[in-house]
Amino acid sequence: MSTPAHLTPADFAPAVMERHVHAISRPSLSYWQDAVRRLRANWRAMTSLGVVIGLCIFAVAGPWIWQVDPAAQDVDQISQGPSLPATALIVEPGTAWAGVTKEPTASGDVVANLRLAEPATTQTVRLTWEPVVGATGYVVYRSIYDPAPDRALGLPLGDSLGANRVSYEDRLDLKPQRYWYSVVVLDANGAEQQAYETFSVDVVRAASIEEAQARGWTTQDAALTVGTQLTLPFHPLGTDYLGRDMLARLIYGARVSLFIGVVAPILFVLIGIVYGSIAGFVGGRLDQVLMRFAEFVIALPFLLFMILFKIAFGIGPGESGVIPMLVALVILDWPPTARLVRGQILQIRQEGYVSASQLLGAKTGYLVFRHMIPNTLGVILVTLTFAVPSAIFTEAFLSFIGMGVAPPTPSWGSMANDGIRTMLSHPHELIFPAVLISIAVLAFNLLGDGLRDALDVRMRGRE
Amino acid sequence: MLAYTFKRLIQGVITVWFIATATFFAMHAVPGDPLANERATTEAIRKNLEARYGLDRPVTEQYVLFLGNMMRGDFGISFTQENRRVNDIIRESFPVSATLGILAVAFAAFGGVVWGALTAIYRNRLPDLVITFLVILGISVPGFVVAALGQLALVDINAWLGFSLLPIAGWGSIRHMIVPSMVLGLGTMAYLTRLMRSSMLEITNSDFIRTARAKGLPPTRIFLKHQLRNAILPVITVLGPSIAAITTGGFVVELVFAIPGLGRSFVQSVQQLDYTVIMGTTVFYGAFLVFMVIVVDLLYGLIDPRVRLE
Amino acid sequence: MSRAAVRQLVWLGLAGTGIFIALMVALSWAATITGGGTTAGRAFDLDTKSITIFLDDEPPQLDSRRTSDTISGMVLGHIMEGLLRYDARNQVVPGVAERWEIRPTGATFWLRNTARWSDGKPVTAHDFVFAWRTVVDPATASDYAFILYYVKNGEAINSSKMPPDQLGVRAISDSVLEVDFERPAAFFDKLVTFPTYFPIRQDFQASRGVRYAADAQDLLFNGPFVMTRWAHGANIRLEKNQEYWNRDAIRLNAIDIPYITSDTPTLVNLFKDGSLVWARLGPEQFEEAMKLRWNVARYGDGSIWYVDFNFRPERPTRNLNLRRALQLVTDPNEIVNRVIAIPGYKPLNSLFPAWLPGLNGLFRQEYPPPAITLSIDEARKHLEMAKKELGVDQIPPLVLLSDDTILANKEAEYFQSLYKRTLNLDIRIDKQIFKQRIAKHNAGDFDMVLAGWGPDYADPLTFGDLYASFNGNNRSLYNNPAYDAQVRIAQNSTDQSARMDAFAEMQRIMIEDAVHLPTHERGRVFVQAPQLKGVVHRAIGTEPDFTDAYLVEAP
């Protein structure tokens, strides 16, 4: 055994304390400063942030810019698509129509001379025709297409029973467009004949002065004369199933939906994080008890407990239950997040850097907040962003069964739910709220991605 | 392992008992009369019905009776389908829901893992953005719309082909299962895609991947053995409750595709305040959920040796 | 790195697809073991004379004695037959009974000796006696026992005051059934078409016990069809009953019901795909139906819908002037034509719907209801009077109770806006799930409620007795001796014209006292394959009725 020649006893002397060995020439960046810097550099996240702020402004400032009552119904303009303002003819107030009776003289299996008894308006279309001997009645059909050549008569509107009752008044959902009316004779057995008489009618939008006022087309004192054209209120995004302005409803709906859609997920995800980290970090018996409790909450029948919460909060009929709904959502929805966070924590707890940190004497709080939570952030943010649309639609479902916001208060979720039914015939009623929900969710997702990247410790200094 | 499983099962039974108890009392606390109907009946009939369902006894006594019956696996007779046992309802409709649910979850899990991994690899590049956009669209549109559009597309495909490629609705053969299970799994798939992407990204930057790369392991092996295996853990965490939730929560899909599943019974029973069916389905669902969670936890231990089952 | 990973992923994806398919095969194999469902055929088959239809929901109760819903009623109408039945033109025609006689005090039915149960044994008068006795037996707890109160002692037995064997019905022989009435029942022939009056054979019922009617093999049939398969919630199959006495008139061999859903888009899609022989249309499908040039038809389901007021003492709606004010601004025409906007729905201005038979023709044509002239100004005057009488400056917010259905929702929001705009009244909508709506309705926890009533038999009394103070269904607690007196006349008189006069008087009281606000009669719109003929849609009885249906070549 020989001593290595190049080592001298001096080499074993304690080193002299040296300060400022590696002087940092630039101002140091803290974790948070760096995160903000990286977030700022992420154009997708910044755009999303802009969109989120824009949506909030839309919800808060919208009513001042678009001063239309979201609850005002216009039954003359139901389910109208986005369009330029229409006009309506002012007519005399409608009077009841006794109809036409005429004794039949001609026989045959089809009526003759089907015609309008009065000019056709969206108020009423009054038809009359020549009677047929031996008929027991007449059935009137209406279509928006020509029934020829294959006898596609369209919708059966109604019947006029008796050979001499040769008129029909149609008031059903008349739109200013062309209709084909067809009349079919009922024979002695009450069976419909194959032959039919048809003619087309161009319907004009019209209203009486009283109706124009009732629909809110004009103010009470504005002078109106019969025979003039009145320009109807503008509905840039169309109207819903009760003729309410879509834009106004979207603006007011944003308040409820954004509130529920943002606050509820944030709250229950927070609860989930705390709960999950405690369970995961402490482990052992406490972990087991906590997790069994989480499973217990997941398995509770959601609808039943929502009803129970509503009663417990004493929400009366017609009262808005946004806060109780929020509380109930938070109480019932946290366990999946908690389970997820716990799983992540269990995994991270075994990582080398955690053990190292622990060896170096890090306290529990430090470990959890400095190492564990930031490392589970990605998963947490995914859960958070997915909880946004689910909260929005849960609100809509609960409102539908009378447990959320009280009508006529709109929300995006309930507007989308209402629009689903008319998805094919009036797509705008679904598309507009769905697009807004998508934009909001997309913005939150990209913002979440940006945040995740920005907060990712391992990505410091990159990108 | 065996001892652990046994312990978990015991705990599971206790959890189910808690679920049953909470639901039982919640159900009785909700106002509404399960026996009331549009047509009024006489006092005598009402008394008989109350006696038949045991509603004439105090709630605590009903609870004890219910517990006793539950131990024997008997949930009684449905209030709305008066000559059917709740057990029969569950026995007949659960296999359907389970089939649909398992397929949906399988679809969601595979799709989610593959898409999620893809988006992580192509992070912030075109495939990532396109998939992310589709995923957002998928979760922002209500399930009803997806189901209805899926069905509509099927009608058009069948019409275009001139024969029935896949049935529009109904239940019975493999062909009936494909579209509904995909529609049902879509939401979960979107979620898993995002979850997978996120956890993949975390793994990609970890020390052991760097080590693996540094020691010259083939990329395929790193990807499969290290990245995927680790990234999949949160997906599995979510999977357990998902299977249970999808299996009983397929109400909308069951309605649109006319599928005789348990989801419909579950939702309708609350609306109809059908006490016995509420209890039967809730307890069954609770037990199923607890069981799935135990299965997932056991899987967890198998996939990730670091997580010790204690 | 990334290329290798993508290749891995592709393999993984393929493996996933493989596993998915394997799972599917395994599960479908497992499903055939447990017996889930079966593959459905096409909409109709001219060779086998079979059709494929749907049901809105699983029939909840096929025990005819306890059934109370229209879906079970539809199925029962095909697999069972009562003493009499309705034909395609809604006339009462012989069923199990070949002739009958109705007297003021009772009725006699002579049963045909060719009537058979599906096991080949004859249907006898004893089967009716057994079924009817168990219906009124309170132990059976039948919701519809009240429809047998016309039979002597029915109500007393149902209230536990008498044993069931005291019911006024006797089997004189196997083929003669004699009924004693509690009170005159001029329309008893219509009553016995109702499922609650169907026969049940005692020995068969006893052999099944509590499982009677729980499954297809736990039922015995005497109608035009037998049920050969009943996979609950999934699949029902009806086949022609070879033992049915009139089997030669039944032209369909089988009715398949593999779809149980009420989702109209699904039904329309199935129809479009050629998987259903008929489908109901929702308003959102009208445009498409016109575009596809379908033959659309409609019918009324007979039910009436209205806003009921609460007459309990503490409620403001007890005030006539308030009710009058609301009545004067409520326009059924606008509700039907603008808000509901479905053909087949009819505006309703009376307690009695337009289809009800009267003395010779239709009741409403013989006795038109008094007209209401709508006027906002008049309404406001009545509102002022109401405020004075109630001693308030402003009517407190009125609670409008409603179901959580789409249409009820729409109507409630319409009323809310209407009454706010015209009368400045605040309406609070109380939306509730079905059972809670019923519970609140029963408890009187409302000011107004959106309600409806479906007829049980084709006589105005099915609606008329609704507001009698002694009727348990009168949940608004309207109490008017003058009205009650008219109901008593209609119940006890055998003179049809006196009865009709009584109904006219009820109609007048209802409007003048503004007891409720009628809004509409419900309609249904549907499309049907042109090859299928003879299907009957009706307000009363089996609906839809495929008994007389048949298939023809495409026109």
Side-chain angles (χ1 to χ4, degrees):
Chain A
M1 280 284 180
S2 63
T3 316
H6 55 273
L7 278 183
T8 59
D11 288 332
F12 297 91
V16 182
M17 279 283 262
E18 274 181 277
R19 290 191 188 273
H20 311 295
V21 182
H22 305 287
I24 295 167
S25 54
R26 298 293 170 99
S28 81
L29 274 179
S30 76
Y31 171 65
W32 293 107
Q33 280 171 324
D34 185 50
V36 169
R37 184 185 65 81
R38 271 182 291 145
L39 187 66
R40 283 222 183 119
N42 186 338
W43 64 270
R44 278 190 300 273
M46 290 320 284
T47 317
S48 304
L49 189 64
V51 170
V52 170
I53 294 170
L55 285 175
C56 294
I57 294 174
F58 176 73
V60 176
W64 278 283
I65 298 155
W66 186 249
Q67 293 178 334
V68 173
D69 179 4
Q73 299 177 0
D74 179 352
V75 290
D76 263 333
Q77 297 197 73
I78 280 175
S79 293
Q80 186 182 280
S83 57
L84 291 172
T87 57
L89 183 69
I90 299 298
V91 293
E92 295 286 351
T95 48
W97 192 44
V100 181
T101 50
K102 190 173 174 186
E103 289 312 315
T105 50
S107 61
D109 60 355
V110 65
V111 302
N113 197 14
L114 176 59
R115 62 192 184 272
L116 284 174
E118 284 169 29
T121 66
T122 49
Q123 297 289 302
T124 171
V125 173
R126 290 168 175 176
L127 304 166
T128 183
W129 55 85
E130 293 304 314
V132 171
V133 174
T136 53
Y138 309 91
V139 183
V140 181
Y141 286 86
R142 186 181 85 188
S143 179
I144 52 174
Y145 300 99
D146 190 348
D150 51 349
R151 199 181 181 272
L153 304 180
L155 302 177
L157 292 178
D159 41 27
S160 178
L161 296 177
N164 60 349
R165 298 170 69 92
V166 287
S167 61
Y168 186 82
E169 179 175 24
D170 175 26
R171 298 178 59 185
L172 186 80
D173 197 22
L174 286 161
K175 299 265 159 62
Q177 67 180 93
R178 171 170 293 187
Y179 290 108
W180 276 267
Y181 284 94
S182 308
V183 174
V184 176
V185 174
L186 291 175
D187 69 8
N189 294 320
E192 282 186 31
Q193 296 297 300
Q194 196 60 30
Y196 63 95
E197 170 74 3
T198 188
F199 88 125
S200 69
V201 175
D202 287 308
V203 173
V204 200
R205 191 190 294 280
S208 69
I209 298 174
E210 289 75 26
E211 282 164 330
Q213 286 167 350
R215 311 268 190 268
W217 294 350
T218 173
T219 49
Q220 293 290 332
D221 45 325
L224 275 180
T225 46
V226 170
T228 55
Q229 290 281 346
L230 177 71
T231 306
L232 268 46
F234 181 35
H235 299 298
L237 298 185
T239 57
D240 76 349
Y241 61 96
L242 278 170
R244 297 177 289 203
D245 185 66
M246 285 290 284
L247 179 56
R249 289 181 75 71
L250 286 170
I251 292 171
Y252 281 89
R255 299 178 167 188
V256 175
S257 291
L258 287 178
F259 179 72
I260 286 286
V262 174
V263 177
I266 288 180
L267 286 181
F268 71 67
V269 165
L270 272 182
I271 294 180
I273 292 172
V274 173
Y275 194 94
S277 351
I278 293 173
F281 196 83
V282 177
R285 183 152 296 177
L286 183 68
D287 174 36
Q288 293 196 357
V289 171
L290 288 180
M291 281 304 109
R292 295 305 86 78
F293 182 70
E295 284 156 26
F296 162 77
V297 176
I298 295 180
L300 293 179
F302 184 77
L303 186 55
L304 194 71
F305 278 83
M306 285 307 291
I307 299 173
L308 205 66
F309 279 125
K310 187 195 176 194
I311 293 151
F313 278 107
I315 304 299
E319 287 168 20
S320 178
V322 176
I323 299 297
M325 180 162 61
L326 185 75
V327 174
L329 275 177
V330 170
I331 292 177
L332 293 176
D333 273 352
W334 59 265
T337 320
R339 279 181 51 81
L340 203 59
V341 170
R342 169 187 171 268
Q344 289 288 90
I345 298 268
L346 280 185
Q347 197 183 342
I348 292 166
R349 203 166 65 168
Q350 315 284 337
E351 294 275 353
Y353 59 84
V354 176
S355 314
S357 192
Q358 231 162 353
L359 276 177
L360 288 171
K363 296 233 164 43
T364 313
Y366 179 85
L367 274 180
V368 169
F369 287 103
R370 194 70 205 209
H371 289 297
M372 302 204 165
I373 304 260
N375 277 302
T376 50
L377 213 57
V379 169
I380 290 169
L381 281 170
V382 170
T383 314
L384 191 62
T385 46
F386 271 71
V388 173
S390 107
I392 288 176
F393 285 112
T394 308
E395 180 275 317
F397 169 68
L398 293 175
S399 295
F400 183 76
I401 57 171
M403 251 157 274
V405 292
T409 313
S411 76
W412 290 351
S414 45
M415 289 177 76
N417 266 2
D418 290 331
I420 290 169
R421 282 173 286 128
T422 53
M423 178 164 82
L424 296 177
S425 49
H426 310 295
H428 72 278
E429 288 178 46
L430 169 65
I431 289 173
F432 288 128
V435 161
L436 277 178
I437 295 172
S438 302
I439 289 177
V441 175
L442 187 65
F444 283 121
N445 255 290
L446 293 179
L447 188 61
D449 270 3
L451 273 178
R452 198 204 79 86
D453 290 353
L455 296 178
D456 191 340
V457 213
R458 287 160 303 208
M459 295 202 33
R460 277 192 81 165
R462 282 199 239 165
E463 196 173 346
Chain B
M1 182 81 177
L2 214 70
Y4 173 77
T5 314
F6 185 71
K7 198 168 132 199
R8 284 298 303 271
L9 285 176
I10 297 286
Q11 288 176 353
V13 170
I14 296 171
T15 312
V16 171
W17 174 53
F18 270 97
I19 293 165
T21 308
T23 309
F24 186 89
F25 287 104
M27 183 177 79
H28 281 273
V30 162
D33 179 355
L35 296 176
N37 241 321
E38 291 281 8
R39 262 52 173 173
T41 48
T42 62
E43 271 305 304
I45 290 184
R46 200 183 157 81
K47 284 218 177 75
N48 275 314
L49 279 175
E50 280 179 357
R52 179 181 297 171
Y53 291 107
L55 296 180
D56 49 348
R57 300 156 193 259
V59 175
T60 45
E61 202 174 312
Q62 288 182 45
Y63 173 68
V64 172
L65 268 175
F66 161 77
L67 274 189
N69 287 334
M70 189 177 79
M71 302 275 200
R72 268 174 283 146
D74 177 12
F75 291 106
I77 303 163
S78 162
F79 279 64
T80 43
Q81 301 179 33
E82 294 160 300
N83 37 30
R84 294 189 67 202
R85 309 198 68 76
V86 178
N87 294 32
D88 292 340
I89 294 178
I90 294 174
R91 188 171 45 78
E92 281 166 34
S93 51
F94 178 70
V96 175
S97 288
T99 305
L100 198 62
I102 291 170
L103 284 177
V105 169
F107 173 70
F110 280 111
V113 167
V114 171
W115 292 125
L118 263 183
T119 49
I121 292 167
Y122 286 105
R123 171 182 204 196
N124 290 347
R125 280 186 285 160
L126 194 65
D128 180 23
L129 294 183
V130 170
I131 293 172
T132 303
F133 182 75
L134 287 179
V135 160
I136 302 298
L137 207 69
I139 58 163
S140 310
V141 173
F144 230 112
V145 176
V146 179
L149 289 179
Q151 196 180 54
L152 214 60
L154 212 53
V155 173
D156 287 338
I157 291 171
N158 283 352
W160 182 71
L161 286 174
F163 67 92
S164 188
L165 178 72
L166 291 173
I168 306 299
W171 191 250
S173 69
I174 300 180
R175 290 160 69 238
H176 287 99
M177 297 174 183
I178 298 171
V179 178
S181 61
M182 283 183 171
V183 167
L184 185 59
L186 220 53
T188 310
M189 183 169 95
Y191 180 47
L192 295 184
T193 302
R194 297 293 292 166
L195 205 57
M196 186 67 195
R197 174 183 186 272
S198 161
S199 74
M200 272 287 282
L201 288 181
E202 255 146 47
I203 301 295
T204 312
N205 294 318
S206 29
D207 300 337
F208 59 88
I209 298 288
R210 206 176 307 146
T211 314
R213 227 175 285 169
K215 75 179 182 186
L217 276 184
T220 335
R221 198 176 152 76
I222 298 178
F223 178 72
L224 216 63
K225 191 94 183 164
H226 295 279
Q227 260 180 294
L228 216 53
R229 189 168 165 180
N230 277 293
I232 226 162
L233 281 170
V235 173
I236 290 174
T237 313
V238 178
L239 227 48
S242 280
I243 293 175
I246 282 181
T247 301
T248 47
F251 173 65
V252 165
V253 171
E254 284 173 16
L255 190 73
V256 170
F257 289 97
I259 295 169
L262 195 60
R264 275 210 261 182
S265 306
F266 193 50
V267 172
Q268 281 173 355
S269 68
V270 176
Q271 301 244 341
Q272 295 283 337
L273 225 57
D274 190 334
Y275 279 1
T276 46
V277 177
I278 291 179
M279 286 320 298
T281 46
T282 305
V283 168
F284 184 79
Y285 167 55
F288 184 58
L289 177 108
V290 166
F291 180 71
M292 286 322 291
V293 167
I294 295 174
V295 169
V296 163
D297 283 356
L298 291 177
L299 265 182
Y300 226 99
L302 288 181
I303 291 186
D304 189 349
R306 288 169 307 179
V307 179
R308 286 190 312 272
L309 300 174
E310 53 220 4
Chain C
M1 166 70 195
S2 95
R3 183 164 305 164
V6 171
R7 201 163 51 232
Q8 287 285 315
L9 276 178
V10 170
W11 282 115
L12 193 70
L14 286 177
T17 317
I19 294 179
F20 184 71
I21 292 170
L23 254 179
M24 224 152 57
V25 174
L27 287 169
S28 77
W29 177 72
T32 50
I33 294 174
T34 55
T38 43
T39 324
R42 304 303 293 161
F44 57 87
D45 189 331
L46 285 163
D47 300 328
T48 60
K49 290 184 187 150
S50 61
I51 57 169
T52 306
I53 61 165
F54 68 95
L55 280 184
D56 283 328
D57 216 331
E58 156 87 357
Q61 179 59 279
L62 288 188
D63 182 342
S64 56
R65 300 166 301 177
R66 285 160 65 198
T67 193
S68 62
D69 63 288
T70 51
I71 296 163
S72 305
M74 183 264 167
V75 176
L76 278 170
H78 287 88
I79 57 177
M80 303 289 277
E81 186 174 57
L83 290 165
L84 307 175
R85 62 183 304 133
Y86 283 114
D87 71 355
R89 301 184 62 189
N90 288 328
Q91 302 301 311
V92 174
V93 293
V96 172
E98 52 187 351
R99 60 198 173 85
W100 67 96
E101 180 189 275
I102 295 173
R103 304 174 298 273
T105 56
T108 309
F109 295 87
W110 287 270
L111 277 53
R112 65 181 80 241
N113 51 22
T114 49
R116 292 269 181 283
W117 288 101
S118 49
D119 63 357
K121 290 187 185 157
V123 179
T124 68
H126 303 283
D127 301 332
F128 286 93
V129 173
F130 168 71
W132 295 11
R133 278 184 184 161
T134 45
V135 168
V136 291
D137 186 345
T140 311
S142 167
D143 272 356
Y144 259 82
F146 70 87
I147 209 160
L148 265 88
Y149 287 0
Y150 287 93
V151 181
K152 195 168 180 61
N153 298 334
E155 188 162 8
I157 297 165
N158 202 225
S159 313
S160 292
K161 288 175 191 143
M162 261 187 215
D165 58 7
Q166 293 298 305
L167 188 70
V169 59
R170 285 178 308 281
I172 301 292
S173 70
D174 274 359
S175 62
V176 181
L177 185 75
E178 199 160 275
V179 184
D180 293 335
F181 290 163
E182 180 77 29
R183 49 177 181 252
F187 49 95
F188 196 71
D189 53 340
K190 293 169 185 162
L191 280 181
V192 295
T193 65
F194 205 79
T196 319
Y197 281 92
F198 285 174
I200 284 175
R201 208 170 76 203
Q202 187 167 7
D203 64 322
F204 183 83
Q205 199 272 338
S207 73
R208 293 303 190 273
V210 289
R211 287 208 44 90
Y212 177 75
D215 270 308
Q217 71 272 15
D218 300 321
L219 274 163
L220 195 58
F221 317 96
N222 76 325
F225 295 90
V226 294
M227 183 186 272
T228 53
R229 184 171 61 222
W230 185 11
H232 290 277
N235 200 324
I236 291 175
R237 185 175 162 90
L238 307 181
E239 283 174 18
K240 185 172 169 176
N241 182 357
Q242 298 303 336
E243 296 288 339
Y244 183 54
W245 62 271
N246 199 13
R247 58 190 163 267
D248 298 337
I250 307 303
R251 284 175 278 183
L252 283 182
N253 282 334
I255 301 174
D256 249 316
I257 316 175
Y259 306 106
I260 302 205
T261 181
S262 55
D263 188 46
T264 45
T266 301
L267 297 178
V268 169
N269 284 338
L270 282 165
F271 180 79
K272 217 155 91 177
D273 195 52
S275 307
L276 272 182
V277 78
W278 81 291
R280 229 195 318 278
L281 296 181
E284 61 278 5
Q285 284 107 22
F286 291 163
E287 236 166 87
E288 196 186 8
M290 286 190 263
K291 200 168 163 188
L292 292 169
R293 311 186 73 77
W294 285 346
N295 287 314
V296 182
R298 83 191 150 106
Y299 65 95
D301 77 350
S303 60
I304 62 164
W305 299 80
Y306 44 86
V307 179
D308 243 349
F309 292 116
N310 195 342
F311 286 87
R312 284 165 183 79
E314 71 280 11
R315 296 286 173 171
T317 40
R318 204 179 153 80
N319 182 284
L320 173 61
N321 277 313
L322 176 61
R323 298 199 305 273
R324 172 82 68 233
L326 293 167
Q327 186 185 40
L328 287 172
V329 296
T330 308
D331 181 3
N333 258 309
E334 184 165 281
I335 296 169
V336 168
N337 288 313
R338 302 285 186 188
V339 179
I340 301 175
I342 301 175
Y345 277 71
K346 286 182 186 159
L348 182 66
N349 302 307
S350 159
L351 170 63
F352 301 110
W355 58 268
L356 275 176
L359 207 48
N360 301 306
L362 294 173
F363 173 80
R364 282 262 303 274
Q365 280 175 10
E366 290 165 0
Y367 299 89
I372 303 164
T373 313
L374 300 180
S375 161
I376 296 179
D377 294 335
E378 277 297 308
R380 286 181 181 148
K381 279 182 205 156
H382 282 285
L383 186 67
E384 287 312 311
M385 286 193 264
K387 284 178 189 168
K388 235 173 254 155
E389 285 164 7
L390 292 167
V392 292
D393 293 334
Q394 173 66 31
I395 303 285
L398 298 175
V399 174
L400 175 62
L401 182 62
S402 97
D403 271 326
D404 62 347
T405 64
I406 291 162
L407 195 59
N409 194 18
K410 205 166 159 180
E411 266 192 276
E413 285 189 53
Y414 167 77
F415 283 126
Q416 186 181 44
S417 161
L418 174 75
Y419 297 142
K420 182 73 191 168
R421 176 166 61 75
T422 54
L423 299 174
N424 197 27
L425 284 175
D426 282 318
I427 303 291
R428 293 213 175 132
I429 298 172
D430 187 8
K431 241 188 302 184
Q432 295 289 348
I433 60 174
F434 177 72
K435 285 283 172 174
Q436 281 168 324
R437 201 267 291 161
I438 296 268
K440 283 197 148 186
H441 202 169
N442 280 338
D445 193 1
F446 62 95
D447 292 307
M448 306 200 272
V449 56
L450 294 180
W453 192 256
D456 293 326
Y457 43 90
D459 185 272
L461 190 60
T462 192
F463 296 104
D465 67 2
L466 208 49
Y467 289 89
S469 62
F470 46 84
N471 187 333
N473 290 315
N474 176 2
R475 296 181 171 106
S476 33
L477 296 193
Y478 177 66
N479 189 342
N480 181 348
Y483 189 92
D484 289 355
Q486 299 301 328
V487 175
R488 292 288 185 208
I489 293 174
Q491 279 182 338
N492 297 323
S493 171
T494 46
D495 175 4
Q496 278 298 348
S497 89
R499 292 184 76 234
M500 292 303 150
D501 288 344
F503 291 129
E505 186 59 15
M506 290 178 212
Q507 178 174 254
R508 188 191 63 76
I509 294 173
M510 287 299 288
I511 292 170
E512 288 185 0
D513 216 8
V515 182
H516 69 175
L517 303 174
T519 57
H520 61 271
E521 295 175 42
R522 188 159 69 183
R524 298 279 195 202
V525 183
F526 67 94
V527 57
Q528 183 177 306
Q531 287 87 347
L532 181 65
K533 305 279 184 199
V535 182
V536 183
H537 295 276
R538 48 163 74 105
I540 305 269
T542 314
E543 195 294 305
D545 188 347
F546 292 94
T547 309
D548 298 322
Y550 58 98
L551 288 164
V552 295
E553 297 281 344

